[in-house]
Amino acid sequence: MLLADVAYFDACLAEPDPIARFRCMQEPVKTALSECAPRVVTCE
């Protein structure tokens, strides 16, 4: 995954509200570089 710039995380850590800080740290993903697909199990 491609993450936001380091300065973004500094701003998150400066957030005084713990819930807002938590949400801020979850948002930095800009682009998924690959997609996860469920594994298909077949029995023969």
Side-chain angles (χ1 to χ4, degrees), residues 6-35:
V6 174
Y8 175 88
F9 296 101
D10 289 337
C12 287
L13 292 174
E15 178 65 51
D17 178 37
I19 294 173
R21 187 179 321 125
F22 178 76
R23 288 182 181 151
C24 183
M25 294 298 267
Q26 290 182 325
E27 297 174 0
V29 176
K30 297 211 176 217
T31 308
L33 298 179
S34 63
E35 183 177 319

